[in-house]
Amino acid sequence: MPGDARLTEAGRSVRRSARPAAPQRTCVGCRVRDDRSRLLRVVAEPGPATEVALVPDPRGRLPGRGAWLHPDLDCLDLAERRRAFARALRLQGPVDTAAVREHLATAGGTQGR
């Protein structure tokens, strides 16, 4: 069928996949690209004083800039150590990750990617 295949630079025919590729995001902890469906979105919520609390957004519907994280405590630890949340969410000052840590602990976030 026309349109099912395309030609490469070498002139070979390559079949296109039947389904489109899933959107890709990068984990702020380990910096590995993965399907959006395999990552947890995290958004910033203003907290008391100058501290900002991170809130897990498993449905991906909360307003605001989001950072993506594998649902793994190791990736959360890496992101905290690298201060990646503040950089990805364009925040200044301390970031409270207690709600995200609790979400991962209750969701079984100790499995590998």
Side-chain angles (χ1 to χ4, degrees), residues 29 69 72-83 85 97 101 104:
L69 179 75
D72 184 2
L73 290 172
D74 292 336
C75 284
L76 177 61
D77 292 338
L78 272 171
E80 287 177 326
R81 210 171 323 135
R82 293 176 55 242
R83 299 183 187 130
F85 288 116
T97 60
R101 185 169 296 282
L104 293 179

Side-chain angles (χ1 to χ4, degrees), residues 4 15-21:
D4 273 16
R15 267 204 173 300
R16 290 186 196 169
S17 155
R19 67 183 179 117

Side-chain angles (χ1 to χ4, degrees), residues 29-47:
C30 65
R31 305 292 299 157
V32 173
R33 290 181 61 87
D34 208 344
D35 289 348
R36 183 175 133 179
S37 62
R38 295 183 55 162
L39 297 169
L40 173 67
R41 184 172 184 257
V42 177
V43 295
E45 184 176 89

Side-chain angles (χ1 to χ4, degrees), residues 6-113:
R6 61 187 171 116
L7 296 179
T8 64
E9 290 178 19
R12 295 187 190 124
S13 177
V14 177
R15 267 204 173 300
R16 290 186 196 169
S17 155
R19 67 183 179 117
Q24 298 282 299
R25 300 291 183 265
T26 302
C27 173
V28 295
C30 65
R31 305 292 299 157
V32 173
R33 290 181 61 87
D34 208 344
D35 289 348
R36 183 175 133 179
S37 62
R38 295 183 55 162
L39 297 169
L40 173 67
R41 184 172 184 257
V42 177
V43 295
E45 184 176 89
T50 60
E51 191 165 286
V52 174
L54 296 182
V55 178
D57 182 17
R59 292 183 43 204
R61 301 287 187 249
L62 293 177
R65 176 174 287 276
W68 296 86
L69 179 75
H70 281 111
D72 184 2
L73 290 172
D74 292 336
C75 284
L76 177 61
D77 292 338
L78 272 171
E80 287 177 326
R81 210 171 323 135
R82 293 176 55 242
R83 299 183 187 130
F85 288 116
R87 192 170 29 259
L89 298 171
R90 298 181 183 171
L91 302 171
Q92 293 181 355
V95 178
D96 178 22
T97 60
V100 177
R101 185 169 296 282
E102 182 180 323
H103 176 81
L104 293 179
T106 59
T110 56
Q111 307 114 352
R113 286 171 240 125

